[in-house]
Amino acid sequence: MSVLMTLGGHDKDLGGGFTVRRLLPAAQRQSVGPFLFFDHFGPVTIAPGGSHDVRPHPHIGLATVTYLFDGAIMHRDSLGFEQRIAPGAINWMTAGRGIVHSERGPQDLKASNYVNHGIQLWAALPREHEEVTPDFEHTPADAIPSMVLNGTQVRVLIGEAFGNKSPVRTFAPTLYLDVQLAGDKAFELPPVAQELAIYTVDGDITVDGELLPAHRLAVLAPHAQVTLLAGQATRLMVIGGDALDGRRFMWWNFVSSRKERIVQASRDWEAQAMGHVPGDAELIPLPERRFSAE
């Protein structure tokens, strides 16, 4: 069997009518490579005066990875970075020992109808790097390697595949591909990472002849080389990398190999000791139900 399991995910309401499809973490699988959080949002139309803004909130022990197919998001963080996130770019924010950020609609689009559609991932940092200095790195779309293989367009967002290497820096072997299948042309995906999974963004495909419906995450068997085929032009994402170096505890926006670190981060956020996004006085409070280290 080339597919170990298929995850259907579930809808998660983030508030204000903003619903995402969450594939990871799942009861059957915490992570694929370093990725232990996978949200597919949109396509959603944002009307004038509407807002899907995410107020300032903290992270530790992870890196957020934001990728848009359509739309725009304004990133601001406690380090002072301000970056308009545009389709095709990779935005990697290393939380490390702690960072605060917000994700809001750009001011110039407030009076417009526009569509937001994309993927948000979290990559757990290796144990030895969980407490690194926080940072933010924007890689524009035109800096991402792209190629066409038998009619299939492949963009190497993170990592290395098919002789091309992304400029995005990571802390462990990591892979993230944007693949656009041509209708009725087979695409061979070799075992380009220790762990791999395929997510169907907008249509059904087959994996070695077996149906993988849209909006499903197929975790591949180790060392599997698979043939992907779609009846029409279809987009899919490939995620993976080396397996995590041990279990991670996840609560709210915090990830760590140590329960007590999550408790400390909770106290720090409650005391407003993790930093502030310049010019943004709002924040998301801790959930009422607190994390227990017991």
Side-chain angles (χ1 to χ4, degrees):
M1 296 286 290
S2 55
V3 175
L4 282 180
M5 66 181 71
T6 301
L7 305 176
H10 63 278
D11 290 339
K12 177 76 173 178
D13 187 354
L14 300 185
F18 185 30
T19 301
V20 301
R21 173 157 290 275
R22 183 157 296 168
L23 285 301
L24 291 174
Q28 307 98 307
R29 183 98 182 195
Q30 183 185 52
S31 60
V32 178
F35 297 113
L36 42 56
F37 180 95
F38 187 124
D39 272 2
H40 178 195
F41 57 89
V44 58
T45 300
I46 301 175
S51 173
H52 288 157
D53 288 357
V54 180
R55 295 168 292 160
H57 58 282
H59 291 289
I60 64 163
L62 58 88
T64 64
V65 185
T66 307
Y67 186 68
L68 291 180
F69 306 124
D70 202 357
I73 296 172
M74 195 67 193
H75 165 95
R76 293 184 178 88
D77 62 43
S78 52
L79 303 177
F81 286 102
E82 294 189 15
Q83 177 65 53
R84 186 188 183 104
I85 298 175
I90 278 289
N91 298 271
W92 176 287
M93 185 185 75
T94 301
R97 63 174 178 254
I99 196 170
V100 179
H101 76 131
S102 65
E103 298 158 300
R104 297 184 180 273
Q107 193 61 38
D108 62 296
L109 296 180
K110 293 293 187 182
S112 306
N113 275 308
Y114 67 100
V115 173
N116 259 356
H117 185 201
I119 303 284
Q120 172 115 113
L121 304 174
W122 293 357
L125 299 177
R127 288 172 183 260
E128 63 183 307
H129 296 297
E130 283 185 315
E131 299 293 324
V132 296
T133 301
D135 196 10
F136 177 81
E137 182 179 1
H138 171 78
T139 304
D142 60 8
I144 300 292
S146 180
M147 72 219 76
V148 177
L149 303 170
N150 191 33
T152 293
Q153 183 183 32
V154 180
R155 303 186 74 232
V156 183
L157 308 180
I158 299 174
E160 188 171 358
F162 305 106
N164 285 269
K165 185 176 182 179
S166 167
V168 177
R169 294 175 297 171
T170 64
F171 292 88
T174 304
L175 186 74
Y176 192 21
L177 307 178
D178 179 356
V179 178
Q180 297 188 59
L181 297 178
D184 297 322
K185 286 191 176 182
F187 175 66
E188 300 292 332
L189 178 65
V192 285
Q194 186 182 103
E195 296 185 348
L196 278 178
I198 299 166
Y199 178 70
T200 44
V201 175
D202 57 9
D204 302 347
I205 68 169
T206 61
V207 180
D208 285 349
E210 297 294 324
L211 177 66
L212 179 63
H215 305 155
R216 299 293 187 271
L217 185 72
V219 181
L220 302 184
H223 314 298
Q225 173 157 328
V226 295
T227 300
L228 310 179
L229 186 63
Q232 59 185 3
T234 304
R235 181 175 229 147
L236 56 92
M237 310 303 288
V238 178
I239 64 169
D242 280 4
L244 278 181
D245 54 347
R247 181 183 176 187
R248 292 299 188 275
F249 299 100
M250 299 178 65
W251 180 79
W252 195 42
N253 298 314
F254 303 142
V255 171
S256 181
S257 59
R258 298 178 293 123
K259 289 183 176 181
E260 60 272 20
R261 182 65 182 91
I262 293 178
V263 172
Q264 183 60 54
S266 302
R267 291 172 179 161
D268 290 344
W269 180 240
E270 195 165 42
Q272 286 300 284
M274 292 186 69
H276 303 272
V277 176
D280 196 333
E282 292 190 296
L283 59 85
I284 300 177
L286 281 175
E288 290 185 7
R289 186 175 181 178
R290 302 301 167 87
F291 177 80
S292 174
E294 296 180 0

